[in-house]
Amino acid sequence: MPGEVYCIAEIGVNHDGKVDRAIELIEAARHAGADAVKFQFFSASSLLSKDAVLAGYQAGQADS
């Protein structure tokens, strides 16, 4: 319907690769009134230099 607002919370990669943390963030977004959440998914090898600094949870993980 025109005029309705649909709020999507951006979680991105703030879950640090941990399912429990992702669930906490989803629940926080719901509590804040979000209608949905958005996570980021990308292939680091196709976007980043081999010399790029990765987050701790990303280091040593195989790119799928």
Side-chain angles (χ1 to χ4, degrees), residues 16-63:
D16 296 330
K18 298 175 183 159
V19 173
D20 290 344
R21 180 67 178 142
I23 292 170
E24 288 174 3
L25 293 167
I26 292 167
E27 291 173 353
R30 178 178 56 181
H31 179 73
D35 297 301
V37 297
K38 176 186 169 286
F39 292 94
Q40 293 179 11
F41 176 81
F42 62 91
S43 171
S45 65
S46 67
L47 295 174
L48 303 173
S49 160
K50 66 178 180 171
D51 298 321
V53 178
L54 299 176
Y57 75 92
Q58 295 170 319
Q61 290 187 0
D63 201 16

